[in-house]
Amino acid sequence: MLVSPSTHSLSPSDCPPGVFLAVPDEPPDGIPLAVKDLFDIAGLVTTYGSPLFADHVPVTTAPAVAALEAVGYGVVGKTNLHEFAYGTTSENPHFGVVPNPRFPGRVAGGSSGGNAAALVLGAANVALGTDSGGSIRIPAACCGIVGFKPTYGTISLEGCFPLAPSFDHAGPMARHVRTCEEAMVALVRSFGVTALDSLEEVSVVVGWLDGADPLVRARVGQAAERFTRRRVVDVPLPERVGRLFMHEVAGVHRELFAENADLYGEDVRIKVERCLAVTDAEAESAAQRRADYPAAVEDAIAGADLLLTPTLPCVAPAVGAGGVGDLEVREALVSRTFPANVLGWPALALPCGAAEDGAPASVQLVGRPGSDSLVLAAGRLLEAELGAGG
């Protein structure tokens, strides 16, 4: 079921610096697909956002990419990202800052920032990204597009450099929800599209509005009003689970970092050093808190189909606002996205109107495990009612 038009507004080679890291010699046939440079593609340089892999050319293609190619998508290029996908701004000291084409001077979000920029520029119709703490949804929010993180394990991560394996997800990004839905059908052959006639069929719990900037809160609240069956609830956030995430990052980078620490960018080097300091006991305690978290969320949203929240508590920060890389903005940017990675539940981000400084607010729909098609169907109807997507 491929109905997206195969048209370009801008070719990858004409995009600003910092968007694409590698492009094929010949433009491919099919629906234009951008791929985060974390996935291996045979014959194309795949850097993982690090100079350590600047000359790395895989001999096999990641299964998720191959699945899309098999049904008519064509890879137009590999996109830039936050180094090793460990960041929320895509300010890459090695390959350049990913520009935000709609809001120059603001970050594109990370770590799948190049995907978002390529989609806004029209260099691709759909993009394949990864999301460990919000890395699909954060750039979607910053650039005013759509990003979907499916239920954990739905899409293969073979041939993709890991960040924190039990938190890592792969998923599509696009300008519209329907395009993400079509990509899910291509990526998961058993994926069934849910038919919804009205948002009246869906009940939502509204959460995590407190602490959001005033206009972000207002726009997300207005999006929530599109659901007649809604209630505002104090939904718990995960507490001190991040130590488990960090322990897993340490496990991925321990040997590589020991030999090449000086080749890591400063912000990622600092974060990896912090991860290496996490003890096994701290990780085990965090794992127990993670295990307890789904029941707490279930209690809070009991009787509702979906959880509706801001994707971000703010609009896209200015480039450089994070100090060194994203160190000073990371905690805020992942505050509403990371819980869905802790849970492994599907989550969709879509724009919901202009907020502070005219930059977009983004609303997040989160469903229970396996409810991916319901999340997308509700998102498609909400997008139509809001007139969102670009």
Side-chain angles (χ1 to χ4, degrees):
M1 186 184 74
L2 300 180
V3 298
S4 297
S6 300
T7 57
H8 295 261
S9 297
L10 199 66
S11 71
S13 59
D14 292 331
C15 285
V19 178
F20 282 94
L21 297 182
V23 297
D25 293 334
E26 296 292 332
D29 295 327
I31 295 172
L33 169 69
V35 177
K36 184 178 185 176
D37 199 31
L38 208 64
F39 290 91
D40 290 345
I41 295 183
L44 275 182
V45 173
T46 300
T47 70
Y48 313 135
S50 166
L52 287 166
F53 294 91
D55 299 319
H56 171 55
V57 181
V59 297
T60 58
T61 295
V65 178
L68 290 165
E69 290 181 316
V71 294
Y73 291 82
V75 175
V76 297
K78 307 295 292 300
T79 57
N80 197 6
L81 64 153
H82 209 110
E83 182 181 2
F84 285 122
Y86 197 8
T88 58
T89 63
S90 294
E91 296 168 285
N92 189 308
H94 315 292
F95 302 114
V97 175
V98 176
N100 187 325
R102 283 189 172 143
F103 305 96
R106 294 182 180 272
V107 300
S111 61
S112 307
N115 278 354
L119 290 164
V120 171
L121 291 165
N125 283 41
V126 66
L128 181 64
T130 64
D131 189 312
S132 304
S135 286
I136 285 172
R137 292 159 289 154
I138 293 169
C142 287
C143 292
I145 60 164
V146 175
F148 180 61
K149 181 196 78 64
T151 298
Y152 179 76
T154 298
I155 297 173
S156 171
L157 283 166
E158 181 183 347
C160 180
F161 197 93
L163 178 58
S166 77
F167 296 85
D168 294 350
H169 300 65
M173 303 168 68
R175 292 186 291 275
H176 294 284
V177 176
R178 185 175 294 279
T179 312
C180 284
E181 197 171 47
E182 293 163 5
M184 286 299 298
V185 172
L187 285 160
V188 184
R189 295 303 178 87
S190 61
F191 191 85
V193 174
T194 294
L196 284 179
D197 296 322
S198 169
L199 291 179
E200 293 182 0
E201 300 175 50
V202 182
S203 60
V204 299
V205 157
V206 182
W208 304 338
L209 289 172
D210 290 348
D213 288 349
L215 287 179
V216 169
R217 178 171 181 156
R219 297 294 173 263
V220 173
Q222 290 163 359
E225 289 173 1
R226 302 286 178 161
F227 295 85
T228 56
R229 297 164 57 202
R230 68 182 186 278
R231 67 183 192 273
V232 178
V233 171
D234 184 12
V235 181
L237 290 165
E239 295 184 2
R240 300 188 303 280
V241 175
R243 306 299 281 180
L244 176 61
F245 181 99
M246 295 170 70
H247 193 259
E248 292 188 12
V249 172
V252 169
H253 284 273
R254 194 177 309 277
E255 293 183 9
L256 189 67
F257 188 78
E259 298 177 1
N260 302 281
D262 58 332
L263 294 179
Y264 281 63
E266 185 177 1
D267 77 308
V268 175
R269 182 169 64 250
I270 289 170
K271 286 181 285 194
V272 171
E273 287 172 344
R274 292 172 178 173
C275 291
L276 291 167
V278 175
T279 67
D280 290 345
E282 289 175 317
E284 290 170 5
S285 178
Q288 183 57 58
R289 286 190 289 272
R290 183 189 196 182
D292 295 339
Y293 185 55
V297 176
E298 282 283 6
D299 286 346
I301 69 171
D305 297 309
L306 302 175
L307 170 63
L308 184 152
T309 79
T311 306
L312 304 179
C314 57
V315 298
V319 172
V324 177
D326 74 334
L327 292 177
E328 294 180 16
V329 296
R330 177 179 177 79
E331 184 176 354
L333 294 182
V334 304
S335 60
R336 275 72 169 173
T337 56
F338 183 56
N341 297 86
V342 174
L343 293 163
W345 294 9
L348 174 72
L350 67 149
C352 60
E356 278 70 17
D357 300 320
S362 177
V363 60
Q364 177 176 230
L365 298 177
V366 181
R368 294 177 176 81
S371 66
D372 303 56
S373 61
L374 173 63
V375 172
L376 287 164
R380 179 167 22 91
L381 290 178
L382 179 59
E383 178 185 65
E385 292 209 7
L386 294 173

